[in-house]
Amino acid sequence: MSEPHDDDDDDAALFRAAIGAVRKLPEQPSPPAAPKPKPRARMAEMDEANAREEFRHALDASLLESGDVLAHRDERLPVAIYQRLRRGEIAAEEELDLHGADSRTAEALLRAFLGDAARHGSGCVRVIHGKGRHGSADVGSSGAPVLKNLVDRMLRQRASVLAYHSAPPAQGGTGAVLVLLAPPKRR
């Protein structure tokens, strides 16, 4: 009996004899590789994320309590106009209600809202943040209202914000803030 290895050799020889002479095909260039991703500044991204996280969780001695008034005036704004804002004499053109939002969602909503209001030329807007009395999500570990302090910090850092003040009692009191935005030409 012959070995299977010999049968394989015989089959290969028969195959080559049946096909005849073989010529090698010219080599095709390989297809182009997928483009490499553009370089990213990963350390800068990490630094920015860390700064946002620290900003979000910063606890300092100036945290506002639920009954405290939010107030800030940029030096560009005349005192008389700020006094009108304080008294609620400037009507809010748009309103954002942050009740029930967590701090990340509230931050994103507030950024988008202020950007949209500035693009559309709104002069005064109202942001309802609540007083932080009705749930553990509204109050931080220090007992201070989370959204109220978040709104205060964010508004202070916006170049488009000329002034803000807690609303009069009929418009939400210390649970809402009236924000005066700079006209597009002054930004």
Side-chain angles (χ1 to χ4, degrees):
M1 184 177 219
S2 68
E3 302 233 356
H5 183 63
D6 292 337
D7 288 339
D8 289 340
D9 288 342
D10 290 340
D11 288 343
L14 283 173
F15 178 75
R16 280 196 283 291
I19 293 205
V22 179
R23 68 178 169 84
K24 190 173 182 175
L25 291 174
E27 293 216 13
Q28 293 283 359
S30 58
K36 292 183 179 180
K38 291 182 180 178
R40 290 179 18 211
R42 290 190 179 144
M43 290 303 290
E45 289 173 4
M46 286 176 24
D47 288 345
E48 177 123 354
N50 288 339
R52 271 196 308 268
E53 196 65 26
E54 285 179 26
F55 171 74
R56 196 174 287 115
H57 296 294
L59 293 174
D60 54 58
S62 65
L63 285 178
L64 298 164
E65 296 299 324
S66 64
D68 292 347
V69 172
L70 288 181
H72 174 73
R73 181 184 70 85
D74 190 289
E75 68 273 354
R76 298 177 286 173
L77 185 71
V79 175
I81 296 174
Y82 179 68
Q83 293 299 331
R84 288 185 58 215
L85 179 72
R86 254 184 83 204
R87 292 188 299 262
E89 295 174 358
I90 301 174
E93 299 169 38
E94 300 290 331
E95 182 175 276
L96 172 66
D97 190 346
L98 297 174
H99 276 113
D102 62 47
S103 60
R104 283 182 186 243
T105 304
E107 181 180 349
L109 287 171
L110 185 57
R111 282 184 197 282
F113 176 71
L114 291 174
D116 188 53
R119 277 190 299 283
H120 289 93
S122 297
C124 182
V125 296
R126 181 177 20 255
V127 178
I128 301 170
H129 48 73
K131 296 182 181 183
R133 293 182 179 164
H134 298 295
S136 61
D138 296 339
V139 179
S141 59
S142 65
V146 174
L147 294 181
K148 184 173 192 167
N149 283 287
L150 174 75
V151 168
D152 182 51
R153 285 192 304 264
M154 286 184 67
L155 292 177
R156 285 183 190 275
Q157 295 184 346
R158 300 286 297 208
S160 62
V161 174
L162 288 175
Y164 59 89
H165 197 281
S166 290
Q171 295 180 30
T174 58
V177 63
L178 295 173
V179 182
L180 192 63
L181 300 171
K185 64 183 177 198
R186 292 180 66 185
R187 291 186 194 136

